[in-house]
Amino acid sequence: MNTNKSFAFFVCSILVAASCQLKAAVSQSEAQRLGKDLTPIGAEKAGNKDGSIPAWNGGIKEAEIPKGFQSGSHYLNPFSDDKPLFTITASNVGQYKDKLTAGQVALFEAYPDTFKMPVYQTRRTARQPDRIYNNTRKAATSAQLLSGGNGFSGAYDAYPFPIPQNGLEALWNHIVRYRGEYVVRRASEVAVQRNGSYSLSTSQQEALINYNLPGGSEATLDNIIFYYLSFTRSPARLAGGAVLIYETLDQVQQPRQAWGYNAGQRRVRRAPNLAYDTPIASSDGLRTADDTDMYNGAPNRYEWKLLGKKEIYIPYHNYRLISPDVTYDDLLTIGHVNPEYTRYELHRVWVVEGTLKPGARHVYSKRVLHLDEDSWGAAVVDQYDGRGELWRNSMAYLINYYDRPTVWTGLDVYHDLRSRRYHAQGLANEEAQYVNFEKAIPDLKYFKPSALRRRGRR
């Protein structure tokens, strides 16, 4: 790591000055590696030494996209003929510990009779639109961290730090990774109790990704990454309720803005505390606000360290897990989702460790993120309690949304290793529709707090 840059970050962290900037340490010659020995967003193009991770050759091909798929419907599995190479179980996990996270190993220890990881052929299908590649190439030499690392400038519609020099840069790649422009989905979330019982909460969710809007620019961003709307459809006692969020880039300068609508009272109210370790009610306390999307929000309460790269087994191409042929009762088994429907592959990940700063408050003293090098999405996160002991493990079951194209989660699962409960977010197996990227982008008036009352109805 660049010593001068590390010192600059140390000074910025102390001063927390809005004008303090961390210059990007990527030279023009380094940036020219993008598209050559590195992919356009910074992953290693080459495979690993033994070939178990193949070379990246441009991502998923048109010929691999299943015939008959229609945008907005459930995604068809491009690799339905693949069979597991082997399965990791509690009896053989010792052979694979060097390619597992601490939280994954703990799941085998917690559920020795039922937790398994079927490992398949690694397929590097990740691909993003050409404009993202072009913008990322520009950002490599212009992006810089601001305000002690609480934001960045010099990038728009791009991965700002494709050749990261520290943990904060890698983390920002995850936070603003490409996930489309306007996304609509109807999905459920559920807290599965120790005895396997659960009660679904279903909502329609809409996100306008301001950071990735074609025709926009850094100048028009106005510090807002995305606008998010969620309308509760069930259970009946909560139906008609809504949440509106303005996700800001620099949340120290301008905290996340959130509003809630209560259908029974027909009132819109500000929700000022929807950040950091605020427990999410619909998760039965199993997910904090900044656990959502594996990690989101202001990074200022942690010191972030880039530990380098590692090869580990992560959830990838989990089309069976989100199939409409699988019922929730089949999927939601005691302790964890049903391994019969999961798929893991060996991929290289960036390992980013966040350690709680002295004097800062959070229920997690440490969190370790494992970012897929081909998409920058966090696939596995391990969270530690105030005593430094492993407490939770979270996994994003990635799929390739090949009509966009982008790699993103199909289902997020948050495991509490002590209470032996888990929270699953993004369930859509039994919904008529799935994720739709093709709806017309609405005017920003659509995301005004005043619209909540009109649109939120039982």
Side-chain angles (χ1 to χ4, degrees), residues 129-168:
D130 288 342
R131 75 169 202 274
I132 301 294
Y133 295 161
N134 295 333
N135 292 336
T136 297
R137 194 173 296 110
K138 296 173 186 176
T141 56
S142 63
Q144 50 191 312
L145 292 169
L146 302 174
S147 306
N150 294 309
F152 61 84
S153 65
Y156 178 82
D157 197 27
Y159 293 84
F161 306 106
I163 308 175
Q165 305 299 298
N166 56 54
L168 269 170

Side-chain angles (χ1 to χ4, degrees), residues 9 16 91 190 193 211 223-224 279 287 290 381 391 432:
F9 172 64
V16 196
S91 62
V190 62
Q193 303 303 319
Y211 178 76
N223 198 40
I224 295 177
R287 171 168 59 92
D290 59 8
V381 183
W391 178 15

Side-chain angles (χ1 to χ4, degrees), residues 49 101 127 172 240 248 306 346 358 420:
K49 289 183 179 180
T101 77
R127 183 163 61 89
W172 277 113
T248 52
L306 186 62
L346 185 66
R420 303 295 177 89

Side-chain angles (χ1 to χ4, degrees), residues 196-235:
S197 64
Y198 63 86
S199 179
L200 291 170
S201 173
T202 305
S203 61
Q204 176 162 315
Q205 302 147 11
E206 306 174 36
L208 180 75
I209 316 297
N210 198 39
Y211 178 76
N212 291 113
L213 285 184
S217 67
E218 187 178 359
T220 64
L221 193 60
D222 196 27
N223 198 40
I224 295 177
I225 302 174
F226 62 77
Y227 301 88
Y228 172 82
L229 268 172
S230 177
F231 295 94
T232 303
R233 299 307 185 203
S234 68

Side-chain angles (χ1 to χ4, degrees), residues 250-392:
D250 184 340
Q251 295 195 3
V252 172
Q253 178 189 31
Q254 181 187 14
R256 170 187 292 135
Q257 300 175 65
W259 296 263
Y261 172 71
N262 185 298
Q265 299 176 347
R266 295 188 61 79
R267 294 184 63 181
V268 176
R269 292 182 175 179
R270 286 295 297 264
N273 299 317
L274 195 61
Y276 300 111
D277 57 357
T278 301
I280 301 300
S282 58
S283 75
D284 199 19
L286 293 169
R287 171 168 59 92
T288 64
D290 59 8
D291 275 333
T292 304
D293 197 34
M294 299 289 109
Y295 185 84
N296 75 93
N300 62 312
R301 294 191 180 181
Y302 290 86
E303 297 284 2
W304 298 96
K305 184 184 297 183
L306 186 62
L307 301 184
K309 276 192 180 178
K310 187 177 181 181
E311 295 179 6
I312 66 168
Y313 297 110
I314 62 175
Y316 228 99
H317 299 117
N318 277 273
Y319 294 96
R320 291 191 68 205
L321 194 67
I322 62 170
S323 170
D325 296 330
V326 178
T327 68
Y328 294 148
D329 283 345
D330 289 337
L331 180 64
L332 301 171
T333 54
I334 292 176
H336 48 78
V337 295
N338 192 335
E340 178 183 346
Y341 305 111
T342 63
R343 173 177 176 141
Y344 294 81
E345 299 177 4
L346 185 66
H347 284 262
R348 283 185 294 246
V349 298
W350 288 99
V351 184
V352 178
E353 180 183 88
T355 304
L356 194 62
K357 292 178 180 178
R361 184 189 62 80
H362 201 288
V363 295
Y364 301 143
S365 65
K366 184 174 74 171
R367 53 215 310 172
V368 183
L369 283 66
H370 303 82
L371 313 180
D372 167 38
E373 70 164 346
D374 288 329
S375 67
W376 285 107
V380 184
V381 183
D382 295 335
Q383 297 102 331
Y384 294 76
D385 67 13
R387 296 171 295 180
E389 297 178 358
L390 183 65
W391 178 15
R392 291 174 171 171

Side-chain angles (χ1 to χ4, degrees), residues 418-434:
R418 291 185 188 149
S419 69
R420 303 295 177 89
R421 299 180 298 142
Y422 68 97
H423 174 61
Q425 184 186 28
L427 293 160
N429 307 60
E430 297 182 12
E431 295 297 331
Q433 297 291 311
Y434 192 51

